[in-house]
Amino acid sequence: MQKAEARSKRLKQEYNLTPAQWNKMFKLQDGKCPICLKPILKPGNAEGKRAGSVDHDHKTKRVRGILCYRCNRFVIGRNHSDRAKRVYDYLTSSFDGREL
């Protein structure tokens, strides 16, 4: 089985996604990771590097988009929406420890 066929089969089995849908998401995202805004590598063009990763909700199976490997693995993969809200609240807080 060739790489393109194996990729197509894996996309369908794991995410119920076609290569055409992956390509449409890639285009909608302007070829960039929506988290870090770095370019995402397309399969076949990765030249030994990791291509973009399909990000999905493990509970609902909803496909959220394509992320770079680092953001998928270390930013999204280790966090959840409740934690992201706490991080956002913390970063946008007006608290200043110098005022204690």
Side-chain angles (χ1 to χ4, degrees):
M1 185 180 305
Q2 293 182 0
K3 284 185 181 184
E5 290 177 41
R7 177 177 172 266
S8 179
K9 185 177 178 180
R10 183 171 178 258
L11 284 173
K12 192 67 173 171
Q13 286 178 338
E14 291 190 29
Y15 311 109
N16 196 28
L17 193 67
T18 67
Q21 289 170 312
W22 192 98
N23 289 329
K24 284 181 183 180
M25 282 192 296
F26 182 86
K27 190 173 181 177
L28 279 172
Q29 293 178 202
D30 198 26
K32 296 178 184 170
C33 174
I35 306 297
C36 69
L37 303 178
K38 291 182 181 177
I40 296 171
L41 298 173
K42 286 185 92 170
N45 295 349
E47 298 176 13
K49 297 182 181 179
R50 293 182 186 265
S53 302
V54 176
D55 175 50
H56 67 289
D57 184 309
H58 287 256
K59 291 180 183 175
T60 66
K61 306 298 182 201
R62 179 176 66 93
V63 174
R64 295 180 284 226
I66 305 167
L67 302 178
C68 70
Y69 173 77
R70 292 182 64 94
C71 287
N72 188 51
R73 175 82 174 165
F74 301 109
V75 177
I76 298 297
R78 294 189 179 177
N79 291 294
H80 300 281
S81 57
D82 59 332
R83 185 179 298 170
K85 181 176 180 348
R86 291 194 304 270
V87 168
Y88 176 81
D89 290 346
Y90 175 80
L91 291 174
T92 59
S93 167
S94 61
F95 174 80
D96 187 338
R98 298 172 298 175
E99 297 174 357
L100 294 177

